[in-house]
């Protein structure tokens, strides 16, 4: 198969289910839990998966699971360490993440799933997959554990310093996600800020409010609801929460940290006295369901939106179940053609100033050193 | 008693306990719960309190409590509505909050406690009490429910757009708080951002990291620990969390919202089946303690630091207990002379550039319209 030489060429149309390249070497529990997760994705969820990483290591793990014939392995001799940030990742063209991106560009895969370091995966996939036409910056979208139809937050950390025009696009990216993964036709969008009244917030939010109000007015595909606050994140007030990567990342981790803290308190409270312990025995099932509800593993991973290919980043400490869930999310997004959704929304909705800005903006951030232009061969 | 004509004049030295002016008209449950809270502060906590607001209304509520002789009332004919923001409050020189500030400037009170709208109280007290010499901006400090010695977060929402130099001062304000209210001599300070490695975060945080590292190096009164993340907020990693008002407010409300959400889930889980219900009966005491731990009313209020006078803003929906706790916090801060602590830290620690900046900065934000220079009489 020949590689496509233009990163912006549309992905080949497929009617068959999407193929998910799983980065076997990324994550605290790689490769063993990652391989188990891939096997789970194939056997229990019926997905099409291939594993990318050191062939012999992966093969022996697959053999243990009796899955050597079920999942193809693509060799990659290098991998990104968990502590490695954006810069290092640019210098590793043979990492499992980089090789996975190459598979996507060639049309041999549709999506990448990795539990590697977020910074490294964002940098690697941004530079190797490139942003879709008109998209200023890719953004991380996460789902908050609000129930049946989760609330999506964009950006959860890819862009620490954002501009108002980027927040407008994050809204479109989030809406495309809500429509593709959860079938929400006209997602409700809220801007995360410090007060519910219009005009509250920092300069970035105030300007983004004006732009979003103008963009969304009368739109059949976005219902802009104005400001929302931190305590609304889990209250199902909106389908898409828009924020910059700094605020979004802090908010997400505050939610996760508080949920973990509350669960610890519950456990302590319920085992503090003999009577309470007896009570806890009676509640085992109820508490297990509660734990699952607050457990981040049940919510797939973060999706990096706006690139020429679907990228899902699972929690660094993911175990097999988390990896399988991330594969399911990648399958849903790639299978639902989220790329086309985004293209339509960004092209259709963007007014002229956004296009001009996109044109004048430099292409996706390049490394300070020289990177050979998107290596194709091994 | 004559009013001091200079807002920056040092507060008169007192050896007697501080007097707390309680804004009887501010808050969702004003004035009845506020008056009850003031009575509780006097009777149960032994504090010195006076009530400010509409005299006849307050007097009749005090009479109901049989406390007419215990608490002096200072009349104020006007009050800030809960929905009123910064601008409106500037235009109300006879509001209960404004009159309370006048009492502080005259030396008739040492602290203001209000459950009124945060924006309104911040604006009123900033313009009427003025910032302490050298302080760039007042900042809201809140305590996070981490246990015996709470973690303090500064700024929780007073400055949506902050500069790196302000974050350095917020660290000093927070340290003064930790020392005064909790006796922490060398508070550990962390900057809230999106990764634990140095250099992670937005431009504001990266520059503030450099400045704080330089300021705190070898300091006997501050132990700068670098970056912390959202999930560290409740983990007691530091004593003072430094952040801008936008991020801080979102983080605080995310923590509060998630704690409330988790408690709802626990309640649902524990009453979902007959067996679970029976279990819950056995755990009533343990669960009550848990609820108290996560209940924001047990944690006083937000302190507005850096002004010539102590200001504590209680939750808008505070009931009597919350108001009494806010009075206790105001008593501890004013009695511990937090103003002098801050003066010493800001004067002593600030390097030259900070002073130059403070001099070149305009005095505390003035209203767009004209405000009569700090009215003294009624």
């Amino acid at each position: 198969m020949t590689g496509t030489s233009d990163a912006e060429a549309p992905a080949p149309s497929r009617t068959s289910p999407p193929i998910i390249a799983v980065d076997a070497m990324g994550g605290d529990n790689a490769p063993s839990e990652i391989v188990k997760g891939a096997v789970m994705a194939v056997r229990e969820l019926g997905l099409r998966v291939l594993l990318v990483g050191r062939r012999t290591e992966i093969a022996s793990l697959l053999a243990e699971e009796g899955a050597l014939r079920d999942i193809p392995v693509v060799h990659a001799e290098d991998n990104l360490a968990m502590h490695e940030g954006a810069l290092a990742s640019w210098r590793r063209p043979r990492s499992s993440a980089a090789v996975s991106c190459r598979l996507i560009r060639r049309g041999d895969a549709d999506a990448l799933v990795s539990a590697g370091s977020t910074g490294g995966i964002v940098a690697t996939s941004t530079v190797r997959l490139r942003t879709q036409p008109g998209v200023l910056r890719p953004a991380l979208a996460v789902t908050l554990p609000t129930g049946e139809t989760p609330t999506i937050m964009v950006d959860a950390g890819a862009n620490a310093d954002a501009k108002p025009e980027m927040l407008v696009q994050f809204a479109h990216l989030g809406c495309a996600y809500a429509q593709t993964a959860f079938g929400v036709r006209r997602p409700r969008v809220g801007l995360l800020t410090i007060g519910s009244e219009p005009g509250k917030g920092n300069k970035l939010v105030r300007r983004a409010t004006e732009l979003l109000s103008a963009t969304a007015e009368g739109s059949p595909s976005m219902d802009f609801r104005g400001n929302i606050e931190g305590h609304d994140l889990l209250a199902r007030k909106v389908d898409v929460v828009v924020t910059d990567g700094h605020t979004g990342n802090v908010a997400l981790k505050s939610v996760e940290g508080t949920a973990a803290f509350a669960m610890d308190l519950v456990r302590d409270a319920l085992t503090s006295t003999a009577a309470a312990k007896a009570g806890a025995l009676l509640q085992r099932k109820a508490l297990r369901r509660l734990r699952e509800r607050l457990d981040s593993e049940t919510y797939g991973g973060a999706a990096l939106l706006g690139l020429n290919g679907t990228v899902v980043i699972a929690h660094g400490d993911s175990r097999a179940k988390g990896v399988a869930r991330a594969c399911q999310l990648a399958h849903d997004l790639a299978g639902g053609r989220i790329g086309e959704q985004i293209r339509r929304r960004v092209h259709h909705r963007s007014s002229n100033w956004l296009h001009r800005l996109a044109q004048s903006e430099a292409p996706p951030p390049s490394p300070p050193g020289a990177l050979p232009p998107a290596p194709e061969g091994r």
Side-chain angles (χ1 to χ4, degrees), chain A:
Chain A
M1 207 175 285
T2 9
T4 51
S5 62
D6 178 5
E8 292 183 352
S13 289
R14 284 172 188 283
T15 45
S16 50
I19 297 173
I20 297 149
V22 176
D23 170 9
M25 314 313 288
D28 300 335
N29 308 306
S32 73
E33 288 290 322
I34 311 294
V35 171
K36 276 185 202 158
V39 172
M40 197 183 276
V42 170
R43 290 194 179 151
E44 295 179 21
L45 307 172
L47 308 182
R48 291 179 73 190
V49 166
L50 51 83
L51 280 159
V52 183
R54 283 193 293 275
R55 191 189 302 275
T56 48
E57 228 170 301
I58 297 172
S60 78
L61 288 165
L62 280 174
E64 277 174 30
E65 304 285 320
L68 212 44
R69 289 169 183 275
D70 302 340
I71 304 184
V73 178
V74 176
H75 181 67
E77 61 205 50
D78 199 4
N79 61 285
L80 305 177
M82 281 311 276
H83 65 270
E84 280 183 322
L87 277 181
S89 69
W90 270 314
R91 300 199 195 99
R92 294 185 178 278
R94 287 158 199 281
S95 70
S96 47
V99 170
S100 302
C101 289
R102 210 172 303 147
L103 292 172
I104 294 175
R105 292 193 54 204
R106 285 183 180 176
D108 292 340
D110 302 280
L112 158 63
V113 165
S114 177
S117 99
T118 304
I121 302 300
V122 168
T124 300
S125 49
T126 302
V127 82
R128 285 171 200 282
L129 295 177
R130 309 275 169 97
T131 48
Q132 290 184 246
V135 171
L136 300 172
R137 288 278 191 286
L140 272 177
V142 293
T143 51
L144 300 168
T146 44
E148 297 291 294
T149 305
T151 296
I152 296 154
M153 185 160 76
V154 192
D155 170 25
N159 306 277
D161 289 289
K163 291 180 181 163
E165 296 77 12
M166 294 181 196
L167 294 196
V168 175
Q169 288 205 339
F170 296 170
H172 289 302
L173 297 178
C175 285
Y177 186 132
Q179 183 160 2
T180 312
F182 307 117
V184 186
R185 271 200 49 246
R186 190 165 180 256
R188 296 163 301 166
V189 172
L191 252 174
L192 185 59
T193 183
I194 70 176
S196 51
E197 308 86 5
K200 281 281 186 124
N202 58 10
K203 281 179 205 154
L204 174 68
V205 166
R206 294 202 306 273
R207 178 73 183 130
T209 303
E210 294 171 10
L211 297 179
L212 263 174
S213 302
T215 313
E217 207 185 341
S219 163
S221 59
M222 185 195 294
D223 177 9
F224 179 53
R225 295 289 181 100
N227 294 352
I228 67 153
E229 299 182 71
H231 45 58
D232 301 325
L233 286 177
L234 304 183
R236 301 196 214 186
K237 274 197 170 178
V238 294
D239 302 299
V240 176
V241 173
V242 174
T243 183
D244 65 282
H246 177 79
T247 310
N249 189 277
V250 167
L252 174 68
K253 288 178 180 163
S254 299
V255 167
E256 289 178 347
T258 308
F261 179 79
M263 285 307 299
D264 285 351
L265 285 187
V266 169
R267 203 189 44 224
D268 290 354
L270 297 190
T271 53
S272 58
T273 65
K277 265 184 215 160
L281 274 180
L282 297 171
Q283 298 160 336
R284 260 188 303 202
K285 224 199 230 159
L287 285 175
R288 199 182 329 119
R289 269 206 307 272
L290 170 64
R291 218 172 354 249
E292 276 169 16
R293 183 88 180 272
L294 289 174
D295 178 1
S296 54
E297 287 237 347
T298 44
Y299 290 95
L304 187 62
L305 304 178
L307 298 178
N308 294 298
T310 297
V311 177
V312 172
I313 306 173
H315 253 261
D317 60 357
S318 291
R319 304 202 158 269
K321 198 176 122 201
V323 174
R325 290 278 313 191
C327 290
Q328 180 70 62
L329 177 59
H331 171 94
D332 293 348
L333 293 176
R337 303 180 178 284
I338 187 167
E340 287 172 31
Q341 284 275 354
I342 290 173
R343 198 163 311 184
R344 213 159 32 229
R345 282 176 180 268
V346 170
H347 264 197
H348 181 62
R349 301 276 153 233
S350 297
S351 41
N352 280 336
W353 53 264
L354 254 186
H355 273 289
R356 275 202 307 276
L357 203 97
Q359 246 95 66
S360 70
E361 282 265 325
S366 330
L371 177 87
E376 281 304 317
R378 299 258 165 96

